[in-house]
């Protein structure tokens, strides 16, 4: 939030009937976390509701990856989002295409859904289904974010995010391809690409020099 990013990305999964913010499916770690919470230790894995309360007072938006494919989990997340009035500040992505289709059926909205495409097979499957489903967003693996692939997806009417962009060199390679945005855990990189920060041009000049060498 301090970096003023457009969206904060968080992985959400279910454990013991609660929504937790966790990338890995590690039941032992999550159980240990519950014990730490019980005894009041700091630094525990946050519940999704706690994240919502953190962003609710300001204009920060959330980009949520739903890590598990279940109708009940999607409904739990939507209930928390709507209960806190954040429905216009949350977008979703998921590897399982049906997960986001369920959210569309519940909300009637398509423009906040980004379907995860991690390899060529998944990209071809997405494109094959586009004439029927008309999905509006893709979270595309950065290794696939070449101009030709991005153009094929955009021609179906979908916006394309590149994920996960790790450094400035990757960013400079994918941004000219026509992507809608980038997902990155590199806050320095995100700050470079806000406005006309001179670092952006320094990085570009370094890459040009490297290529010339």
């Amino acid at each position: 939030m301090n970096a003023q990013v457009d969206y904060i990305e968080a992985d959400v999964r279910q454990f013991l009937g609660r929504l937790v913010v966790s990338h890995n499916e590690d039941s032992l770690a999550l159980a240990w976390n519950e014990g730490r919470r019980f005894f009041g230790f700091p630094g525990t894995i946050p519940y999704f509701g706690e994240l919502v309360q953190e962003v609710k007072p300001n204009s920060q938006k959330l980009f949520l990856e739903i890590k598990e494919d279940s109708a009940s989990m999607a409904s739990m997340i939507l209930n928390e989002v709507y209960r806190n009035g954040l429905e216009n500040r949350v977008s979703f992505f998921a590897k399982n295409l049906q997960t986001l289709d369920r959210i569309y059926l519940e909300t009637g909205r398509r423009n906040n859904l980004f379907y995860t495409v991690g390899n060529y097979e998944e990209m071809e499957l997405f494109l094959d289904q586009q004439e029927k489903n008309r999905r509006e967003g893709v979270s595309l693996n950065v290794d696939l974010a070449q101009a030709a692939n991005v153009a094929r997806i955009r021609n179906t009417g979908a916006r394309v995010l590149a994920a996960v962009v790790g450094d400035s060199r990757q960013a400079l390679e994918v941004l000219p391809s026509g992507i809608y945005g980038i997902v990155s855990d590199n806050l320095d990189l995100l700050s470079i690409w806000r406005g006309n920060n001179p670092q952006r041009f320094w990085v570009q000049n370094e890459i040009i020099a490297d290529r010339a060498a």
Side-chain angles (χ1 to χ4, degrees):
M1 288 189 290
N2 291 337
Q4 297 183 325
V5 295
D6 296 317
Y7 284 84
I8 290 176
E9 187 267 340
D11 299 337
V12 184
R13 59 176 69 253
Q14 188 176 185
F15 183 73
L16 297 179
R18 284 185 175 272
L19 296 174
V20 295
V21 178
S22 178
H23 177 75
N24 296 318
E25 184 181 9
D26 188 335
S27 298
L28 182 60
L30 292 174
W32 175 245
N33 182 67
E34 292 300 314
R36 287 173 53 82
R37 278 182 169 273
F38 179 80
F39 289 106
F41 292 133
T44 54
I45 298 170
Y47 293 140
F48 177 60
E50 294 171 339
L51 175 63
V52 167
Q53 294 307 311
E54 187 74 19
V55 305
K56 185 177 178 180
N58 56 56
S59 60
Q60 182 63 59
K61 297 178 181 179
L62 286 175
F63 192 39
L64 303 177
E65 180 174 10
I66 302 177
K67 301 296 287 187
E68 301 166 11
D69 178 45
S70 73
S72 62
M73 182 174 169
S75 294
M76 287 174 67
I77 294 174
L78 286 175
N79 288 340
E80 190 75 16
V81 166
Y82 276 85
R83 187 170 65 84
N84 287 279
L86 301 180
E87 57 270 23
N88 294 320
R89 290 164 51 185
V90 177
S91 292
F92 303 93
F93 68 120
K95 185 176 180 64
N96 191 303
L97 306 186
Q98 286 68 41
T99 300
L100 296 189
D101 289 343
R102 290 193 187 102
I103 290 180
Y104 166 65
L105 290 176
E106 288 200 38
T107 66
R109 290 185 60 191
R110 295 181 187 268
N111 63 355
N112 65 338
L113 306 177
F114 292 84
Y115 293 76
T116 299
V117 173
N119 54 51
Y120 278 103
E121 290 75 15
E122 292 172 357
M123 184 175 70
E124 294 301 330
L125 175 63
F126 180 89
L127 291 168
D128 288 344
Q129 296 178 351
Q130 267 300 79
E131 185 173 352
K132 174 184 177 182
N133 294 313
R134 309 306 300 174
R135 294 160 173 151
E136 295 185 13
V138 170
S139 176
L140 184 67
N141 185 295
V142 66
D143 294 332
L144 297 176
Q146 294 94 24
N149 293 335
V150 173
R152 290 181 66 197
I153 298 172
R154 291 184 63 193
N155 287 340
T156 71
R159 296 168 295 169
V160 182
L161 299 174
V164 173
V165 179
D167 55 46
S168 55
R169 295 176 186 276
Q170 279 188 316
L172 286 168
E173 289 173 358
V174 302
L175 283 171
S177 66
I179 59 173
Y180 179 68
I182 64 172
V183 180
S184 177
D185 57 3
N186 184 342
L187 290 181
D188 291 333
L189 170 62
L190 295 175
S191 68
I192 287 172
W193 288 97
R194 292 188 63 86
N196 293 315
N197 192 314
Q199 293 181 64
R200 170 176 179 174
F201 304 103
W202 296 341
V203 171
Q204 190 168 19
N205 289 336
E206 287 176 4
I207 291 176
I208 292 172
D210 286 347
R211 287 175 177 169

